[in-house]
Amino acid sequence: VTGVQTCALPIWGNAELRQNHLESALAAYEEATKFGAATDIAWLNIALVKSRQNKLLEARQAVQEALRFNPANVLAQKMLAQIPR
């Protein structure tokens, strides 16, 4: 995977998510986490997909991963507070 492809992974994920192609969006975001491309944002997007799939425990875990990479991410803090335990 080249640098350009790495940067394109979140964009591809967003396009797939807009079309409600959850599995391919999830694959793009998971791949992005491997290359450090906006890792906290990629984890938040994984949480969004998991939430849409009604996998709330996995969504919560993904938000916690986002916070591990960036504890100051206010959006992640808010998302964590909104996901039921």
Side-chain angles (χ1 to χ4, degrees):
V1 176
T2 68
V4 171
Q5 289 170 321
T6 301
C7 292
L9 287 168
I11 295 168
W12 172 47
N14 292 345
E16 292 297 302
L17 188 59
R18 278 192 296 278
Q19 296 177 47
N20 207 35
H21 298 156
L22 300 181
E23 291 303 321
S24 54
L26 183 61
Y29 297 136
E30 287 174 339
E31 194 68 16
T33 65
K34 296 176 187 175
F35 298 101
T39 306
D40 60 325
I41 302 302
W43 279 108
L44 287 181
N45 286 326
I46 289 170
L48 181 59
V49 171
K50 295 293 186 176
S51 172
R52 286 190 183 182
Q53 294 173 325
N54 206 29
K55 297 178 179 178
L56 299 181
L57 177 59
E58 292 177 37
R60 179 176 264 292
Q61 291 168 336
V63 174
Q64 289 170 332
E65 261 318 282
L67 287 168
R68 188 172 72 80
F69 282 96
N70 182 2
N73 186 318
V74 176
L75 180 58
Q77 294 168 5
K78 289 180 182 179
M79 282 180 72
L80 189 61
Q82 293 176 356
I83 298 173
R85 290 180 183 245

